[in-house]
Amino acid sequence: WGGAVAAGGLALLTVVLTFLRERLSLPTVFLLYICLLVGIAALGGWWPAVLGSVGAFLLVNWYFVPPLHQFHVASAENAFALGVFVLVGGVAGLLVASAARRRVEAARARAEAAALTRLAGAAIGEHDPLPTLVEQLRATMGAEAVAVLRRHGAGWRIEAASGPRPPEGPGAATTSLPLGDDAVLVLRGGPVAAEDQGLLSAFAAHLAGAVRRRALEEEAAASARSASLNELRSTILNAVSHDLRTPL
């Protein structure tokens, strides 16, 4: 968007100011171009602002600084004004781009803090947080589908999923992260940005804990069932031996 505004905005502003050239002074033309450069920097950052400054310098020199339609500057005063124009435009673009970048970084940090707060609440407050964590991960990362897979024999079994047609194996996913020896987190969608890797790693750590928690609960349930069967078997054997003792 910054590049598009730099190309189209400079051309449009030049056309408009060309028609008003007799009514406007050179400092006014400079100020209008600087305002446009500030907008370019706010939209596109530093590099579109630099390219816009170079383009604005050439356009102002060609269309508005005497002698017109030449890159030669007749007076030293106009040459100094052009130099100041480029300097002010570049510095203003740099400051605006830096402020915009800091604003984006602050918004991203607030979003990550809110996501981590929800993540911690889901991991602590629910009996089985795995489905909630997967749903929150898909919403936070903007992925098409997210799933936690656990190795089952020679293939994979979906432990929890969110989104349509979740990946059924690491090969069908855009991004995959291991969650231990026999589990993996898979995402389908666009690539994960570098600045989102930390948040994804935090989700992966909580998901790994949730997977281990579910595995321990399954083992505990299996042990409880085995204990119940052993107790039932002992009860039956005691009853049968008591019933056989009398006739024997």
Side-chain angles (χ1 to χ4, degrees), residues 2 4 13 15 29 33 52 60 73 77 99 120 144 149 161 187 192 198 210 227:
L13 181 61
V15 171
V29 173
Y33 274 98
V60 170
V73 181
E77 181 180 358
E144 296 178 11
L149 307 178
L187 295 86
V192 179

Side-chain angles (χ1 to χ4, degrees), residues 17 41 50 54 62 67 72 93 97 146 150 157 166-167 169 173 183 199 215 222 230 246:
L17 294 182
V50 171
V54 174
W62 184 266
H72 173 71
V146 176
R150 192 172 176 185
R157 180 182 65 190
L199 185 60
N230 290 333
T246 300

Side-chain angles (χ1 to χ4, degrees), residues 16-17 20-29 32:
V16 173
L17 294 182
L20 302 175
R21 183 164 47 200
E22 302 300 330
R23 303 179 183 179
L24 299 176
S25 63
L26 191 57
T28 303
V29 173
L32 291 174

Side-chain angles (χ1 to χ4, degrees), residues 9 15 26 37 39 88 104 114 151 172-173 182 206 225 231 233 237:
V15 171
L26 191 57
L37 292 177
V88 172
V104 170
R151 191 172 295 280
D182 60 348
H206 281 78
R225 287 193 299 270
E231 183 179 357
R233 186 181 299 110
L237 289 176

Side-chain angles (χ1 to χ4, degrees), residues 25-35 60 65 78 81-82 85:
S25 63
L26 191 57
T28 303
V29 173
F30 286 164
L31 288 175
L32 291 174
Y33 274 98
I34 287 175
C35 291
V60 170
V65 176
N78 287 339
L82 274 174
F85 164 73

Side-chain angles (χ1 to χ4, degrees), residues 6-189:
L10 287 174
L12 180 61
L13 181 61
T14 302
V15 171
V16 173
L17 294 182
T18 301
F19 285 104
L20 302 175
R21 183 164 47 200
E22 302 300 330
R23 303 179 183 179
L24 299 176
S25 63
L26 191 57
T28 303
V29 173
F30 286 164
L31 288 175
L32 291 174
Y33 274 98
I34 287 175
C35 291
L36 179 60
L37 292 177
V38 170
I40 293 171
L43 280 175
W46 169 238
W47 285 111
V50 171
L51 297 178
S53 297
V54 174
F57 167 78
L58 296 176
L59 290 172
V60 170
N61 193 2
W62 184 266
Y63 287 102
F64 302 102
V65 176
L68 300 180
H69 308 305
Q70 297 181 24
F71 288 115
H72 173 71
V73 181
S75 67
E77 181 180 358
N78 287 339
F80 178 76
L82 274 174
V84 172
F85 164 73
V86 173
L87 178 63
V88 172
V91 171
L94 175 61
L95 294 177
V96 172
S98 299
R101 184 175 63 254
R102 287 194 297 269
R103 187 167 56 251
V104 170
E105 291 174 353
R108 180 179 295 275
R110 289 194 298 270
E112 288 184 359
L116 291 174
T117 301
R118 294 193 301 269
L119 179 62
I124 295 173
E126 297 189 18
H127 174 67
D128 185 10
L130 197 57
T132 302
L133 291 176
V134 169
E135 180 63 32
Q136 288 185 1
L137 175 59
R138 186 178 75 88
T140 302
M141 305 302 294
E144 296 178 11
V146 176
V148 172
L149 307 178
R150 192 172 176 185
R151 191 172 295 280
H152 183 69
W156 297 91
R157 180 182 65 190
I158 296 179
E159 291 288 309
S162 176
R165 297 179 293 104
E168 298 181 357
T174 306
T175 304
S176 61
L177 277 81
L179 299 179
D181 296 333
D182 60 348
V184 63
L185 169 65
V186 291
L187 295 86
R188 190 184 73 245

Side-chain angles (χ1 to χ4, degrees), residues 202-227:
F203 267 99
H206 281 78
L207 286 168
V211 169
R212 288 193 298 269
R213 177 176 172 179
R214 177 179 283 189
L216 291 174
E217 290 177 351
E218 291 177 354
E219 291 178 3
S223 298
R225 287 193 299 270
S226 178

